[in-house]
Amino acid sequence: MAENRMRPASYILCLVLPAAFLLVRTASAQPDSALNRKKLRILVISSGAGYVAGIAGLNYVWYKNTARQSFRFFNDNPEWKQMDKAGHFFSSFQLSELPARALKSCNLDDRRSNLYGALTGFLLTLPIEVMDGFSDGYGASVGDAVADAAGPAFFLAQQFGWGETRIVPKLSFHRTRYPPLRPELLGDNLAGEIVKDYNGQTFWLSFDVDKFTVFPRWLNLAVGYGAEDMVYARDRENRAAGYDPWRQYYLAVDIDLTAIRTRSRVVRSLIRVANMVRFPAPALEFSHKRVKFHPLYF
């Protein structure tokens, strides 16, 4: 059993370590004397150590009560109205942009910073599919892997097309009545609900309109996607239990926190992290063939 438990971690290390080695080698070969090689090595080594520790912790916490199995695939595309796929897209995009910015801070050229950032975003999310594939009751999801790749691709497309990010994936969350009905699946506290309760999550694409036309720099327009009345993963299970899952679409205004001017790198970094969240603002909801206005929707 102990040998079997090491299999997912072994596969993950085979994916990640060559990528980290390649990054250090090729980046250090950059002829630009401005490249901060010492800072780059510290960044890669510390990030790699944190990554391995994080994967080990996730492997223990999330999968500690599941038995191991031979690697297999599982089709979960019909589940949760594809809200989980939106979550994979959001996460892999953000995990691409953040390391790309960190690499640029080492004076690595933009092209390689963006490419390695996108590769990092994919490699940070792909191991979850590897662990799912070895876990009884789960299975690796092709749909999740596609979403894991779509986030970095969306990041790269904007960098290569515009040289900057103009459309930002964001997340918002509000508590719902559903977690107490199945706390083991939907969360038994606030932190768990934020991660597990798809009924309360809304995923957004926030358009930085002022980069396309004349518009206030601090104001964005956003389109959102959500779903509700889901206590079970699949529609037929929910309907059998008396629930009627539906999709929700939103058109809303959004605040662009990066419009805040500051000379502090720490404050700028905190602002960029906070800007992953769409804060309460007016929104129109389109669902059940009707339109509903929310004065403040989170």
Side-chain angles (χ1 to χ4, degrees):
M1 179 65 72
E3 180 181 358
N4 199 30
R5 282 182 176 274
M6 290 301 296
R7 291 179 65 191
S10 300
Y11 277 82
I12 291 166
L13 289 176
C14 287
L15 287 171
V16 174
L17 291 182
F21 175 76
L22 180 64
L23 169 59
V24 175
R25 288 278 303 200
T26 59
S28 297
Q30 179 176 317
D32 186 357
S33 60
L35 177 65
N36 191 330
R37 291 175 173 81
K38 180 179 179 180
K39 183 178 179 180
L40 176 65
R41 291 191 180 95
I42 293 174
L43 173 66
V44 172
I45 292 171
S46 60
S47 299
Y51 174 77
V52 172
I55 288 296
L58 177 64
N59 187 49
Y60 174 76
V61 173
W62 192 270
Y63 302 95
K64 65 179 179 180
N65 295 321
T66 61
R68 298 299 185 190
Q69 63 177 3
S70 298
F71 186 85
R72 70 181 182 93
F73 287 95
F74 173 71
N75 181 15
D76 67 347
N77 291 333
E79 296 184 351
W80 303 112
K81 294 292 189 186
Q82 295 78 52
M83 286 291 292
D84 55 327
K85 306 299 181 285
H88 280 263
F89 173 83
F90 165 81
S91 300
S92 61
F93 178 94
Q94 300 296 350
L95 291 171
S96 298
E97 185 170 52
L98 290 175
R101 289 187 178 277
L103 290 171
K104 290 173 185 177
S105 74
C106 299
N107 296 326
L108 185 66
D109 64 84
D110 286 357
R111 180 177 178 276
R112 275 186 285 187
S113 293
N114 293 329
L115 285 171
Y116 284 122
L119 178 62
T120 300
F122 182 62
L123 290 178
L124 284 172
T125 49
L126 183 63
I128 296 176
E129 299 312 313
V130 175
M131 291 188 286
D132 278 354
F134 284 107
S135 300
D136 183 35
Y138 294 95
S141 166
V142 174
D144 286 354
V146 170
D148 291 337
F154 188 59
F155 165 74
L156 274 182
Q158 295 189 67
Q159 294 300 315
F160 289 162
W162 296 318
E164 60 184 351
T165 299
R166 297 186 179 185
I167 307 173
V168 183
K170 292 191 177 186
L171 167 69
S172 66
F173 177 81
H174 59 272
R175 303 191 82 170
T176 71
R177 64 184 178 88
Y178 301 99
L181 302 174
R182 294 192 73 193
E184 74 286 354
L185 185 67
L186 302 178
D188 57 4
N189 55 46
L190 178 59
E193 291 172 24
I194 291 174
V195 175
K196 297 180 177 182
D197 183 13
Y198 294 119
N199 299 282
Q201 297 175 359
T202 306
F203 291 99
W204 304 85
L205 290 179
S206 182
F207 290 77
D208 204 345
V209 183
D210 70 283
K211 293 179 179 177
F212 296 96
T213 186
V214 178
F215 209 72
R217 188 171 182 270
W218 55 271
L219 187 64
N220 285 7
L221 294 179
V223 292
Y225 174 66
E228 196 165 337
D229 221 28
M230 300 180 297
V231 179
Y232 298 87
R234 296 180 181 251
D235 286 355
R236 66 174 182 271
E237 297 172 316
N238 282 298
R239 293 191 179 109
Y243 300 98
D244 184 22
W246 73 86
R247 303 178 191 274
Q248 301 159 317
Y249 303 94
Y250 298 91
L251 177 63
V253 296
D254 183 35
I255 306 302
D256 181 9
L257 297 179
T258 63
I260 299 174
R261 302 286 190 179
T262 176
R263 295 182 179 180
S264 170
R265 289 186 177 182
V266 174
V267 175
R268 282 201 302 270
S269 297
L270 293 175
I271 286 174
R272 292 198 175 277
V273 172
N275 203 51
M276 298 178 188
V277 177
R278 180 190 174 273
F279 291 94
L284 292 175
E285 175 188 341
F286 303 87
S287 62
H288 286 316
K289 298 182 180 180
R290 62 182 177 84
V291 180
K292 181 179 179 180
F293 175 68
H294 299 271
L296 288 178
Y297 180 81
F298 192 57

